[in-house]
Amino acid sequence: MVARSRFTLTRAATVLVLVLVAAVALRASALLTPRTIAAAPLRPNIVVILSDDQPTMGTLGVMPNVNALIRDQGVQFYRAHIVDPLCCPSRAALITGQYSHNNGVWDNTTDALGAAALVPTLDNTLGPWLQAAGYQTGYIGKWLNNAPVARPPGWTRFERLYREGYYDFTWVDDSGAVVPYTPGQGVYSTDLVADQAAAAVERFSSTGQPFFLVVAPYGPHASQREDVRGELVPIPATRHHGALGSPDDIVVPSLGGAYLQADVSDKPQWVKDQAAFSPLARDVAFHRRYWILMLETLMAVDELVGRVVGALDRTGQLSNTLVVYYSDNGFSVGHHGYFGKRAPYAESVAVPMLVRGPGVAPNTVRNEIVSNLDLVATIVELSGARPGRLLDGRSLVPLLRGDLVPWRSELLIEGRASSLEFWAGIQTKTMKYIETAEARGQFQELYDLQSTGELVNLAGSPGRAAPYVAYLRGRLQALSACAGDTCWSAGGLIP
């Protein structure tokens, strides 16, 4: 139910005038009294640790290294979002700083909507930008899904998890050699990523140049090969299997009662279809098993974090290194009757995001709406690199330093739900509006996040929801084809 204290359109118009006046005043003040942000004595090293399919719901509870070494030493972004919640589009966003509608990568597929859309211009991405700025650059782990095995330009060191898995996978080493691993060898892919990441830190630290390193383990993504029970699930390291007890003791976390939502009649057709026909959508026993395996798989990712931060400390680099931890997307385990990612709902788009580094305020929580695109703008600012593309995000530097600054009120999110259905939405702190392109036309969703969360679609409610739909639909139309600064939206009428 929409709270009575919410803005009417008339009142919203009045607020808009006040917001515009305030914005002009703030800008004038900034011009009159320019401020200098204290910088580290050297350009910082930058290490990005990117987990895979890690939702926000309770997953950091099994990651003591992430909590002690990054969260407690830096900033946790409480409202961090992935603008397109799928593996390849999220990684494409990391190396381009752009939405899918600008870089062309919408899916994990081998067609023109997958990595193929970006491969011809990989020389104009984050690695080459930082290399041109004098950085050593490294990428270790999961890369763009279905991208060619050939080494992309702009990376001083590049080692890739090519055929993805945990004990059964294929690695491409820095020389380009393709190395298959089988379960009998006992090599766990997250440990191999940790080994190579620590070695990269050691090597880069000996040169005297700043470095940029992406560390991308496969965990806790489901294995692409079935386990002993014939299921596609995360595979923990042998040392962690069973560490958290029995699946019968696990309760799958739920955001606002979304787990096993019984009535999805107000959701788009693709959600209704999965809720009705997918055997995974409502299998509680499988959900519990999946959840505990996911948490146990994250324990090795946490050890990886400890090893990378330890290598930075051991080489004397930690005090001048920005360390970022986040996930490429979240994951829904039966929430809204849906199993997977790709969805515009919080389970898929909300992720952990934590940052530590020189000048970063320690043990801080920020409430602003931020995105993975903002991380790219941050990296570019701190490194002094010159991007060859318009960046769709905004640098987080003022937030990392503890400043109180005007920030975005609305964030565009977008994605491809299926081969035929694309969606786009506007996320605010209190409301979410989504449009899905269906065969019968645009399907609308409107959620009051402070009241019924993402359970009750208010878009069809007569009268009371109409002003919100009208306003947010207009904002969606304005942002859906945005590029660069036009993707920034501050001072909206809805908080």
Side-chain angles (χ1 to χ4, degrees):
M1 179 175 181
V2 178
R4 285 179 293 176
S5 61
R6 294 277 165 73
F7 298 121
T8 62
L9 288 183
T10 301
R11 190 176 174 197
T14 303
V15 173
L16 176 59
V17 173
L18 294 175
V19 168
L20 290 173
V21 170
V24 171
L26 280 170
R27 184 168 182 82
S29 173
L31 290 172
L32 290 171
T33 56
R35 63 188 300 280
T36 301
I37 298 176
L42 302 171
R43 287 190 298 169
N45 308 308
I46 301 166
V47 175
V48 175
I49 303 174
L50 178 64
S51 64
D52 197 332
D53 286 8
Q54 181 180 354
T56 58
M57 303 171 288
T59 57
L60 291 179
V62 296
M63 306 189 81
N65 285 320
V66 171
N67 293 325
L69 301 177
I70 305 180
R71 184 197 64 188
D72 295 350
Q73 307 303 317
V75 174
Q76 180 174 10
F77 289 99
Y78 181 70
R79 300 179 189 273
H81 296 76
I82 300 300
V83 295
D84 187 342
L86 190 61
C87 301
C88 195
S90 184
R91 284 166 169 72
L94 170 61
I95 62 173
T96 64
Q98 294 182 323
Y99 278 101
S100 296
H101 70 255
N102 287 327
N103 64 39
V105 180
W106 288 93
D107 216 320
N108 296 338
T109 52
T110 58
D111 61 18
L113 294 176
L118 188 57
V119 167
T121 59
L122 284 175
D123 59 345
N124 184 20
T125 54
L126 190 59
W129 301 339
L130 268 76
Q131 198 171 67
Y135 272 69
Q136 301 170 93
T137 56
Y139 197 108
I140 298 174
K142 182 175 175 178
W143 177 238
L144 302 173
N145 303 60
N146 292 305
V149 72
R151 183 192 191 103
W155 298 99
T156 311
R157 180 167 182 162
F158 187 84
E159 301 193 56
R160 175 185 177 188
L161 187 61
Y162 183 64
R163 187 174 65 90
E164 299 159 3
Y166 290 101
Y167 285 104
D168 183 6
F169 64 96
T170 300
W171 187 258
V172 179
D173 69 17
D174 191 45
S175 71
V178 178
V179 184
Y181 286 88
T182 61
Q185 294 173 268
V187 177
Y188 190 62
S189 66
T190 301
D191 294 344
L192 179 58
V193 172
D195 290 343
Q196 300 310 310
V201 169
E202 298 275 358
R203 182 183 301 178
F204 288 160
S205 297
S206 67
T207 67
Q209 287 180 266
F211 57 86
F212 169 60
L213 177 63
V214 178
V215 184
Y218 189 52
H221 195 291
S223 175
Q224 298 304 297
R225 275 150 294 287
E226 296 176 346
D227 74 345
V228 293
R229 294 176 54 164
E231 296 171 337
L232 298 179
V233 293
I235 306 294
T238 301
R239 62 187 179 275
H240 297 137
H241 205 291
L244 298 180
S246 167
D248 295 335
D249 300 327
I250 287 291
V251 176
V252 177
S254 180
L255 294 176
Y259 180 59
L260 296 180
Q261 181 179 354
D263 183 4
V264 294
S265 60
D266 61 356
K267 297 293 187 284
Q269 190 61 49
W270 68 274
V271 175
K272 290 186 281 193
D273 286 346
Q274 185 172 117
F277 303 118
S278 170
L280 300 182
R282 300 193 181 277
D283 186 339
V284 174
F286 175 71
H287 296 165
R288 289 176 173 174
R289 173 168 151 75
Y290 191 98
W291 195 264
I292 198 169
L293 291 172
M294 179 180 68
L295 295 179
E296 290 174 347
T297 301
L298 280 169
M299 295 171 76
V301 177
D302 187 64
E303 291 175 349
L304 174 150
V305 170
R307 292 193 59 193
V308 171
V309 174
L312 290 167
D313 189 33
R314 190 168 55 252
T315 55
Q317 299 295 322
L318 183 58
S319 63
N320 193 44
T321 300
L322 190 83
V323 182
V324 178
Y325 182 90
Y326 80 110
S327 179
D328 63 347
N329 47 256
F331 202 81
S332 175
V333 185
H335 302 86
H336 307 291
Y338 174 67
F339 188 89
K341 41 208 175 186
R342 295 180 179 265
Y345 310 121
E347 294 80 13
S348 293
V349 299
V351 295
M353 186 182 289
L354 309 101
V355 184
R356 68 166 290 170
V360 175
N363 201 21
T364 302
V365 175
R366 298 296 304 224
N367 245 345
E368 290 86 352
I369 297 174
V370 302
S371 81
N372 50 327
L373 297 177
D374 298 331
L375 291 174
V376 184
T378 305
I379 292 166
V380 165
E381 177 178 344
L382 292 175
S383 66
R386 295 185 176 182
R389 300 169 183 261
L390 288 175
L391 300 183
D392 296 336
R394 185 66 59 98
S395 173
L396 298 171
V397 164
L399 304 187
L400 293 174
R401 301 244 164 96
D403 295 346
L404 296 177
V405 293
W407 198 251
R408 72 164 58 85
S409 54
E410 303 155 347
L411 176 70
L412 172 71
I413 54 176
E414 61 187 5
R416 188 188 192 195
S418 68
S419 59
L420 299 176
E421 296 172 316
F422 290 78
W423 57 263
I426 295 292
Q427 174 88 47
T428 80
K429 287 184 178 180
T430 63
M431 304 289 282
K432 179 181 283 188
Y433 175 75
I434 307 158
E435 289 186 0
T436 301
E438 297 184 335
R440 59 188 177 184
Q442 293 288 347
F443 184 88
Q444 296 178 322
E445 297 171 82
L446 177 70
Y447 297 105
D448 182 343
L449 303 180
Q450 291 186 317
S451 177
T452 53
E454 295 178 352
L455 293 180
V456 180
N457 180 4
L458 301 172
S461 301
R464 60 178 183 166
Y468 300 102
V469 171
Y471 173 74
L472 290 171
R473 188 176 193 192
R475 298 304 303 139
L476 179 58
Q477 290 172 345
L479 293 174
S480 60
C482 71
D485 287 343
T486 63
C487 295
W488 177 259
S489 180
L493 302 184
I494 297 176

